[in-house]
Amino acid sequence: MLKKIVIPLLQWYNINKRILPWRDRNNAYYTWVSEIMLQQTRVEAVKPYFQRFITALPDVQALAQCPQEQLLKLWEGLGYYNRVRNMQEAARQVVSEHQGIIPEDYQTLLSLKGIGSYTAGAIASIAYHKSVPAVDGNVLRVITRITENNGDISRQSVRRVIEEALSEIMPEDKPGDFNQALMELGAVVCIPNGMAKCEECPVASLCQAYCHDTVDRFPVKAAKKERRQEDKTVFIIQDGEATALRKRPSKGLLAGLYELPNVPGHIDRERALEYVRKLGLDPLYIEEMPSSRHIFSHIEWRMEAYRIRVSSLEKAKDKDLIFADKEQTGKRYAIPSAFGAYARYIKEEKR
DNA sequence: AATCCGGGGGC
DNA sequence: GCCCCAGGATT
């Protein structure tokens, strides 16, 4: 009977819950921002971003009004950049349609951009004490182990069954604590990859997988597909004052962020010089840089690079190019980590 | 239902 | 290398 986990879980959580910057503030905006940041992202990675973000944009109105360049800069390095664009769109919805107050109702929360079933449940239960489940990857792992549910967790049907089961046992007085207790247990005790610390688990005796010594067989997940390889040649074009950057398209991978100019495939020095001349620039030196690799969840970039000194960047015809000096680079342009290996040359003094 | 969308930390 | 993370939108 699943209901038996409620009391021991809440007791365990009361004693073991981590102190987190967004926890116990009684502020729905803090809950919201933290939940968006925590999507597919670990607690430790989020902490410094959360503090900085809240300081810069302390409330829904500030978020709604923030220029997108600053918004992306605040998110730089966190990944999944649509999260923050969607959150701003939702903030504008909140201002225009909900008098600037983050909705309490689960269904209304669901109607906001970037808020799906998990995040709606998290905000409703944690910030507003509504009795709705919040099923994330941690909860799926914990519950499939306790119940020895061998369904593929990537299927909606499995998730729905778990949400319904949790709805029935949800403690009406502490739904937020209950949801967080499940997630906390999944994050620190009931962890993946054969690392589960069952001896520390408050509900081990109620766990079917523990009792049958099958913990590591759960959760069941469909095999992931291979990631595609993409070769690129990256250009670090400098005139001694500035480095050429380019703004990426507003849709797709790394949308709206800045990058070093680059072309598909690996090309030799001559073609690299040709590329630079076609921009209207006069190359003075060319230098091969170390190759670099960046792995996304679904793509792998294999990058080769040239650093090219030109007489003056001002001659470039390409209207998409931006000339970033050392100061601007740090403040204005959000450059994703994919270019991390070469980003340091952007700021570095040229020879 | 399958695919797209980042980056990092732990093993 | 491989796993997976306080997921959601789009097709």
Side-chain angles (χ1 to χ4, degrees), chain A residues 12 75 77 83 94 106 120 133 144-145 151 154 156 175 192 200 212 217 222 258 273 288 291 297 310 318 320-321:
Chain A
W12 173 85
W75 210 264
R83 291 185 292 177
V94 169
Y106 175 83
T144 55
R145 285 174 172 173
S154 60
Q156 197 106 29
E200 296 177 24
H212 300 155
R217 297 188 200 174
Y258 292 86
L273 289 169
E288 285 180 41
S291 62
S297 50
V310 299
D318 190 332
D320 293 337
L321 289 186

Side-chain angles (χ1 to χ4, degrees), chain A residues 279-329:
Chain A
L279 293 174
L281 298 169
D282 304 321
L284 303 177
Y285 305 106
I286 181 165
E287 174 186 12
E288 285 180 41
M289 307 305 287
S291 62
S292 174
R293 195 165 62 127
H294 185 81
I295 298 175
F296 300 94
S297 50
H298 55 308
I299 305 171
E300 177 172 343
W301 279 358
R302 298 186 295 199
M303 293 175 281
E304 293 183 348
Y306 294 100
R307 178 149 78 165
I308 297 166
R309 177 70 177 268
V310 299
S311 55
S312 170
L313 281 171
E314 299 301 325
K315 296 182 179 178
K317 295 183 205 136
D318 190 332
K319 289 194 283 288
D320 293 337
L321 289 186
I322 287 146
F323 312 132
D325 65 27
K326 293 187 280 288
E327 304 305 316
Q328 293 175 325
T329 303

Side-chain angles (χ1 to χ4, degrees), chain A residues 40-238:
Chain A
Q40 299 300 105
T41 309
R42 292 175 194 275
V43 166
E44 289 309 315
V46 165
K47 278 182 183 173
Y49 282 92
F50 178 80
Q51 302 282 17
R52 191 179 60 166
F53 194 95
I54 291 296
T55 302
L57 306 173
D59 53 38
V60 178
Q61 286 73 18
L63 171 58
Q65 295 166 6
C66 182
Q68 195 179 87
E69 294 289 315
Q70 186 192 347
L71 204 57
L72 288 170
K73 192 68 188 170
L74 284 166
W75 210 264
E76 179 185 46
L78 254 187
Y80 287 118
Y81 298 89
N82 262 337
R83 291 185 292 177
V84 72
R85 270 189 286 260
N86 288 340
M87 187 164 62
Q88 182 175 51
E89 185 174 334
R92 291 174 175 167
Q93 271 180 275
V94 169
V95 169
S96 63
E97 299 169 22
H98 303 284
Q99 297 76 47
I101 298 169
I102 298 169
E104 301 185 13
D105 176 63
Y106 175 83
Q107 291 297 335
T108 310
L109 285 164
L110 262 187
S111 73
L112 298 176
K113 197 86 172 188
I115 296 186
S117 59
Y118 163 73
T119 307
I123 296 172
S125 66
I126 295 170
Y128 296 124
H129 310 290
K130 304 280 189 183
S131 286
V132 289
V135 177
D136 70 340
N138 289 310
V139 177
L140 287 171
R141 185 170 54 256
V142 170
I143 300 299
T144 55
R145 285 174 172 173
I146 291 174
T147 61
E148 280 191 311
N149 181 332
N150 57 9
D152 180 349
I153 57 167
S154 60
R155 292 192 182 191
Q156 197 106 29
S157 58
V158 173
R159 177 197 202 82
R160 199 164 49 240
V161 164
I162 290 175
E163 282 176 344
E164 284 170 13
L166 288 174
S167 295
E168 292 189 14
I169 67 169
M170 190 75 51
E172 299 284 331
D173 52 336
K174 290 185 172 181
D177 280 0
F178 181 65
N179 286 335
Q180 291 182 89
L182 281 169
M183 292 189 270
E184 193 94 345
L185 190 74
V188 302
V189 174
C190 195
I191 52 184
N193 303 328
M195 301 284 293
K197 300 172 182 173
C198 297
E199 66 282 359
E200 296 177 24
C201 180
V203 294
S205 66
L206 303 170
C207 177
Q208 297 296 309
Y210 176 74
C211 293
H212 300 155
D213 196 23
T214 58
V215 169
D216 294 332
R217 297 188 200 174
F218 301 93
V220 175
K221 206 171 185 178
K224 65 262 162 251
K225 72 169 237 190
E226 231 171 286
R227 89 181 117 236
R228 69 174 183 270
Q229 315 275 323
E230 291 183 1
D231 292 343
K232 301 174 85 66
T233 301
V234 175
F235 300 95
I236 307 160
I237 307 171
Q238 302 174 307

Side-chain angles (χ1 to χ4, degrees), chain A residues 321-346:
Chain A
L321 289 186
I322 287 146
F323 312 132
D325 65 27
K326 293 187 280 288
E327 304 305 316
Q328 293 175 325
T329 303
K331 291 180 189 168
R332 193 189 305 270
Y333 305 116
I335 300 170
S337 303
F339 294 92
Y342 302 119
R344 66 186 183 91
Y345 299 110
I346 301 173

Side-chain angles (χ1 to χ4, degrees), chain A residues 7-63:
Chain A
I7 300 297
L9 204 53
L10 286 173
Q11 287 177 346
W12 173 85
Y13 180 67
N14 269 331
I15 297 167
N16 293 285
K17 71 172 172 181
R18 292 169 291 181
I19 296 170
L20 301 173
W22 48 86
R23 198 166 258 176
D24 299 327
R25 300 289 197 105
N26 200 23
N27 181 326
Y29 178 67
Y30 286 17
T31 305
W32 182 21
V33 171
S34 68
E35 291 301 343
I36 300 298
M37 287 187 172
L38 285 162
Q39 288 172 6
Q40 299 300 105
T41 309
R42 292 175 194 275
V43 166
E44 289 309 315
V46 165
K47 278 182 183 173
Y49 282 92
F50 178 80
Q51 302 282 17
R52 191 179 60 166
F53 194 95
I54 291 296
T55 302
L57 306 173
D59 53 38
V60 178
Q61 286 73 18
L63 171 58

